[in-house]
């Protein structure tokens, strides 16, 4: 040891062992990235995301129409854990819901009226296209 050195010198075997550990760690990280980047896995994540968002929209629509259930109040992104690997679009969203009371009768009548107008319009459009 030199006069200014306070740490013991590393042997070539120690350095080689450290290099091997780092190579294994990097290989595991690359394997994880390969699995996450497979088109089938990306598609599966996107399908699950669409199902989740669609389910939320259906729940919110149902809550607006029948007056029960819950309505989304607020959503925010959750920061990933330190050292985690996220691909674009893999953000985690936390949503807060609030239960609703029943809608007033006027809102129900309006919703039924709008639905009836839309249904009549669709039927008229179909009949018109068949005649043409």
């Amino acid at each position: 040891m030199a006069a200014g050195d306070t740490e013991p010198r590393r042997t070539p075997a120690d350095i080689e062992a450290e290099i091997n550990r780092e190579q294994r760690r990097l290989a595991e990280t690359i394997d994880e990235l390969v699995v996450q980047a497979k088109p089938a896995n990306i598609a599966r994540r996107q399908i699950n995301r669409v199902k989740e968002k669609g389910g939320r929209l259906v729940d919110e629509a149902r809550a607006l129409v029948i007056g029960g259930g819950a309505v989304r109040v607020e959503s925010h992104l959750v920061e990933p854990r330190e050292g985690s690997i996220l691909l674009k679009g893999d953000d985690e969203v936390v949503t807060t819901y609030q239960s609703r009371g029943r809608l007033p009768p006027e809102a129900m009548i309006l919703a039924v009226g709008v639905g009836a107008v839309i249904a009549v319009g669709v039927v008229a459009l179909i009949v018109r296209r068949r005649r043409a």
Side-chain angles (χ1 to χ4, degrees), residues 2 6 17 26-28 60 86 94 111 122 131:
T6 58
L26 288 172
E28 290 172 0
E60 289 178 23
L86 291 178
V94 174
V122 169
R131 288 184 182 172

Side-chain angles (χ1 to χ4, degrees), residues 20-32:
N20 288 335
R21 280 192 305 273
E22 288 299 315
Q23 284 178 338
R24 279 193 301 275
R25 187 182 65 80
L26 288 172
E28 290 172 0
T29 301
I30 289 171
D31 290 343
E32 289 175 18

Side-chain angles (χ1 to χ4, degrees), residues 95-115:
T95 303
T96 305
Y97 288 90
Q98 178 180 3
S99 62
R100 288 184 62 108
R102 295 198 58 77
L103 285 176
E106 298 84 16
M108 292 296 289
I109 292 170
L110 178 64
V112 170
V114 169

